[in-house]
């Protein structure tokens, strides 16, 4: 076992060399490998594409079944379900609130810690990455009594508002926001920038908003987009704490009118995919620009 | 350094107080509630009754199922993900294939929940695209298995394979072409290179990724919940039952005991992951 794990001492069988001596054999082996790669790629592409295509197909299936014509009825009927529209709006509001508030909580703290209390940086990193190891389904169990208190102190009119989920969602996005902001801050000279601004008489708020923030703009955007994507797809916490967001609403609706539910699912998925894909394109252009 | 700076230093940690307070209230407090609640009854008296729930037949079965599901989807995801990563890495490192695959995998690795369940119901469910297509050319395939453990293994593979690609690509990049050339110069065949160089070198990284995938599948809830609306075949669904059903007297904290059990399983997987990670970092950089 130890010999296998230590590549330096892995025994190489020495014998009469046969394989790569003849160029023709080599070329045939390369061609065979190319064919294998193409076959595998097609298989993987099919596995990943079929469920997505099926989702689109299902949401546009007409009354005549699969062989009948296409119908956009499912998409058009979305507006006929006010609860569903309300849930979509709630999810969008939650996405904005979560991304803005998580940045407002993290950025000042992380800048402050870099400048003044670097001995806390390990603790903050540990706390921010903790949600990666504690499953959301476990956190929900702990959040349930806390949300009873939150409900107790909110005015009756707002008690069922899903916006209360913001508290939990900020925790869920912590690891992703932390990593992106940390990378952003590591790329600039926070100390020099802030000391220059401070010596010119800038307040801490000015330093944060007008000096640091513009310099880590791409990282902030990155963190915000990841938060939005996570919140739009969140189901676990909302459904178990009895709040209705878009995922919960469309899950409830799937028994009743699957065409509409699948149309909303397709739309939310397309939105998230588009956001994440644009993000990866943008970040690649940046890395290429900085390396050249 | 000025004197004001030094005195400011003593109280400087206060600047991180809002963050610490928030995390204390919404991350540490729920964790403590779970851990403490697992050992207390409704009146906060210490008890082991909740822990005894973990020994009940249905709960034990759900944990066994969860571990089997996570292990199966981790192995399938790791093997197929490694194959896909190999396909990508043998191509042009700056080519379109590699860029597209990493971007797509980055998106799909995060994909899950209700929409993923819908996508598979729309493909191989009762009225699914694939089911109907196969029905048209031959015998109608069964569809009930989608809503049971084998179905979950298939559906979880949809995000496990992309995650594996993302985790394993850097490890494959660490394998230098010179090592292959060295093996060939010494007369080694492709198989010998694979068996005696590539596999031993990549084993720690592969095992690490396997553990990460295991933890990922074990923690997943939304996809299973949307696919299986009744019953509780896996541990996360047991928590749903404990949270939503009418609470049986004296078992109000049973959900916390199950949650604690889940934390322990994930902790074991992540600890092993950290150990393996340290080992693989030695060879691949």
């Amino acid at each position: 076992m130890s010999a296998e794990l230590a590549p330096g001492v892995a025994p190489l069988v020495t014998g009469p060399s046969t394989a790569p001596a003849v160029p023709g054999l080599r070329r045939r082996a390369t061609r065979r490998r190319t064919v294998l790669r193409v076959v595998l790629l097609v298989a993987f592409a099919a596995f990943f594409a079929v469920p997505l295509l099926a989702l689109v197909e299902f949401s546009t299936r007409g009354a005549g079944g699969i062989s009948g014509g296409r119908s956009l009825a499912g998409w058009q009927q979305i507006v006929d379900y006010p609860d569903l529209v309300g849930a979509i709006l709630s999810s969008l509001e939650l996405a904005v609130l979560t991304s803005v508030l998580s940045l407002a909580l993290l950025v000042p703290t992380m800048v402050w810690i870099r400048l003044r209390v670097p001995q806390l940086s390990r603790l903050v990193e540990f706390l921010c990455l903790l949600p990666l190891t504690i499953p959301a389904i476990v956190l929900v169990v702990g959040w349930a009594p806390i949300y009873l208190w939150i409900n107790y102190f909110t005015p009756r009119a707002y008690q069922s508002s899903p916006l209360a989920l913001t508290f939990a969602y900020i925790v869920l996005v912590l690891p992703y926001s932390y990593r992106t902001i940390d990378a952003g801050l590591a790329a600039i000279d926070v100390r020099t920038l802030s000391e220059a601004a401070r010596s010119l008489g800038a307040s801490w708020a000015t330093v944060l908003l007008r000096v640091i923030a513009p310099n880590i703009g791409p990282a902030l955007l990155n963190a915000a987009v990841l938060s939005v994507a996570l919140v739009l797809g969140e189901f676990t916490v909302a459904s178990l704490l009895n709040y209705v967001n878009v995922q919960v609403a469309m899950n409830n609706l799937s028994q009743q009118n699957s065409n509409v539910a699948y149309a909303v699912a397709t739309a939310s998925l397309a939105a998230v995919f588009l956001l994440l894909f644009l993000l990866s394109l943008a970040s690649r252009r940046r890395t290429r620009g900085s390396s050249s | 350094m000025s004197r004001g700076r030094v005195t400011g230093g003593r109280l400087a940690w206060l600047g991180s107080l809002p963050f610490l307070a928030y995390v204390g209230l919404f991350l540490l407090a729920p964790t403590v509630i779970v851990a403490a609640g697992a050992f207390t009854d409704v009146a906060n008296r210490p008890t082991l009754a909740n822990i005894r729930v973990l020994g009940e037949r249905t709960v034990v079965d759900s944990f066994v199922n969860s571990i089997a599901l996570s292990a199966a989807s981790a192995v399938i995801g790791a093997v197929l993900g490694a194959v896909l990563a190999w396909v990508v890495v043998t191509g042009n490192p700056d080519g379109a294939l590699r860029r597209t695959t990493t971007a797509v995998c980055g998106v799909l690795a995060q994909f899950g929940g209700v929409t993923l369940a819908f996508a598979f119901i729309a493909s191989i469910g009762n009225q699914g695209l694939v089911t109907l297509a196969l029905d048209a050319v031959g015998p109608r395939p069964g569809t009930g298995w989608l809503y049971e453990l084998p179905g979950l293994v298939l559906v979880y593979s949809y995000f496990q394979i992309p995650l594996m690609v993302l985790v394993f690509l850097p490890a494959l990049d660490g394998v230098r072409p010179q090592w292959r050339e060295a093996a060939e110069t010494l007369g080694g065949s492709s198989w010998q290179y694979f068996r005696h160089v590539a596999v031993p070198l990549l084993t720690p990284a592969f095992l690490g990724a396997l553990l990460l995938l295991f933890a990922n599948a074990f923690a997943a809830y939304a996809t299973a919940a949307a696919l299986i609306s009744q019953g509780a075949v896996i541990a996360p669904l047991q928590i749903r039952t404990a949270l939503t059903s009418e609470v049986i007297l004296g078992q109000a904290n049973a959900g916390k005991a199950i949650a604690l059990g889940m934390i322990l399983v994930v902790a074991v997987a992540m600890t092993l992951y950290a150990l393996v990670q340290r080992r693989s970092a030695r060879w691949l950089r």
Side-chain angles (χ1 to χ4, degrees):
Chain A
M1 192 63 199
S2 64
E4 272 180 20
L5 288 172
V9 295
L12 274 171
V13 177
T14 47
S17 104
T18 47
V22 192
L25 271 182
R26 182 79 192 251
R27 207 177 307 135
R28 200 177 308 155
T30 316
R31 200 183 313 135
R32 216 169 40 212
R33 208 167 72 170
T34 312
V35 171
L36 180 65
R37 287 182 63 218
V38 170
V39 169
L40 284 171
L41 263 184
V42 170
F44 277 113
F47 175 69
F48 289 116
V50 164
L52 298 180
L53 293 175
L55 192 63
V56 177
E57 188 277 328
F58 204 93
S59 74
T60 60
R61 197 178 283 182
I66 191 164
S67 46
R70 298 285 96 194
S71 153
L72 285 176
W75 289 78
Q76 284 155 351
Q77 284 166 16
I78 293 176
V79 289
D80 296 341
Y81 292 86
D83 290 352
L84 183 62
V85 176
I88 295 173
L89 293 177
S90 297
S91 272
L92 292 174
E93 288 164 14
L94 271 170
V96 172
L97 272 178
T98 305
S99 48
V100 171
L101 291 180
S102 66
L103 291 181
L105 183 69
L106 269 181
V107 175
T109 308
M110 290 173 67
V111 170
W112 183 255
I113 278 178
R114 260 169 195 271
L115 292 178
R116 289 299 183 83
V117 263
Q119 62 270 30
L120 278 186
S121 62
R122 294 300 296 271
L123 174 71
V124 171
E125 179 181 18
F126 171 77
L127 290 173
C128 284
L129 298 185
L130 201 55
L132 285 183
T133 40
I134 305 179
I137 177 79
V138 169
L139 283 174
V140 164
V141 179
W143 278 327
I146 293 177
Y147 268 82
L148 284 182
W149 280 99
I150 292 178
N151 246 343
Y152 184 76
F153 286 114
T154 29
R156 188 164 290 271
Y158 299 102
Q159 275 186 356
S160 65
S161 165
L163 295 186
L165 284 171
T166 311
F167 296 118
Y169 286 178
I170 289 176
V171 171
L172 291 186
V173 304
L174 266 188
Y176 307 98
S177 301
Y178 173 84
R179 278 184 183 159
T180 21
I181 297 170
D182 191 52
L185 288 177
I188 64 169
D189 191 346
V190 181
R191 182 167 295 275
T192 308
L193 281 176
S194 61
E195 276 173 5
R198 291 285 286 166
S199 68
L200 290 170
S203 67
W204 276 111
T206 313
V207 171
L208 273 177
L209 288 174
R210 299 187 53 190
V211 179
I212 304 284
N215 272 296
I216 56 167
L220 296 182
L221 182 71
N222 217 319
V225 169
L226 284 176
S227 303
V228 169
L230 195 141
V231 170
L232 289 185
E234 211 289 323
F235 173 77
T236 307
V237 180
S239 74
L240 289 176
L241 294 180
N242 294 316
Y243 291 105
V244 180
N245 68 2
V246 64
Q247 300 286 324
V248 174
M250 86 200 185
N251 191 42
N252 293 342
L253 193 64
S254 66
Q255 307 293 329
Q256 191 187 344
N257 188 335
S258 52
N259 274 33
V260 176
Y262 281 55
V264 177
T266 312
S268 76
L269 189 64
V272 169
F273 276 15
L274 196 68
L275 269 177
L276 291 178
F277 205 76
L278 287 179
L279 189 69
S280 81
L281 283 181
S283 64
R284 191 162 50 245
R285 187 165 325 135
R286 259 199 317 280
T287 49
R288 197 184 302 158
S290 63
S291 67
S292 63
Chain B
M1 209 161 275
S2 74
R3 195 156 173 273
R5 187 66 174 276
V6 175
T7 39
R10 205 168 298 153
L11 290 174
W13 66 274
L14 285 174
S16 53
L17 198 58
F19 170 81
L20 293 177
Y22 189 89
V23 169
L25 189 56
F26 286 101
L27 177 60
L28 298 182
T31 315
V32 171
I33 288 174
V34 168
F39 298 98
T40 49
D41 63 8
V42 210
N44 283 328
R45 283 182 303 248
T47 174
L48 287 177
N50 305 314
I51 301 300
R52 239 167 268 143
V53 171
L54 286 179
E56 270 175 28
R57 186 64 189 271
T58 50
V59 177
V60 172
D61 284 352
S62 75
F63 268 90
V64 170
N65 283 341
S66 255
I67 290 171
L69 162 67
S70 311
S73 83
V75 169
I76 293 175
V79 170
L80 292 180
V83 169
L84 182 53
W86 171 80
V87 169
V88 171
V89 94
T90 44
N92 179 0
D94 299 316
L97 171 66
R98 174 160 187 155
R99 276 188 284 128
T100 325
T101 315
T102 34
V104 169
C105 283
V107 174
L108 291 184
Q110 298 289 330
F111 181 33
V114 184
T115 316
L116 182 60
F118 281 8
F120 271 87
I121 295 172
S123 324
I124 54 175
N126 214 6
Q127 292 297 313
L129 186 63
V130 176
T131 309
L132 296 180
L134 288 177
D135 192 21
V137 295
R140 187 181 171 80
T143 55
W145 61 278
L146 174 61
Y147 308 96
E148 290 158 13
L149 280 184
L152 285 182
V153 174
L154 176 74
V155 177
Y156 279 20
S157 306
Y158 198 85
F159 55 76
Q160 296 277 59
I161 296 174
L163 181 62
M164 179 67 182
V165 173
L166 295 182
V167 177
F168 204 55
L169 260 184
L172 279 182
D173 280 334
V175 178
R176 303 201 186 110
Q178 287 88 332
W179 295 336
R180 182 185 199 105
E181 287 159 13
E184 283 177 358
T185 316
L186 293 167
S189 67
S190 283
W191 166 250
Q192 283 170 330
Y193 165 75
F194 180 75
R195 170 71 187 79
H196 295 295
V197 180
V199 167
L201 199 62
L202 291 170
T203 300
F206 185 83
L207 287 181
L210 200 65
L211 288 163
L212 193 70
L213 263 60
F214 177 89
N216 189 40
F218 193 81
Y221 164 80
T223 316
L227 215 47
I228 304 173
S229 50
Q230 299 286 325
V233 285
I234 56 174
L237 296 183
Q238 284 283 347
I239 292 183
R240 171 176 72 181
T241 312
L243 280 183
T244 54
S245 65
E246 285 293 310
V247 176
I248 311 158
L249 204 65
Q251 291 205 351
N253 280 345
K256 289 168 187 156
I258 302 170
L260 188 66
M262 285 192 68
I263 293 185
L264 292 181
V265 174
V266 175
V268 168
M270 294 312 282
T271 309
L272 288 174
Y273 170 71
L275 290 177
V276 173
Q277 198 69 11
R278 207 173 301 159
R279 167 123 214 165
S280 75
R282 228 184 287 164
W283 289 106
L284 303 163
R285 34 177 141 246

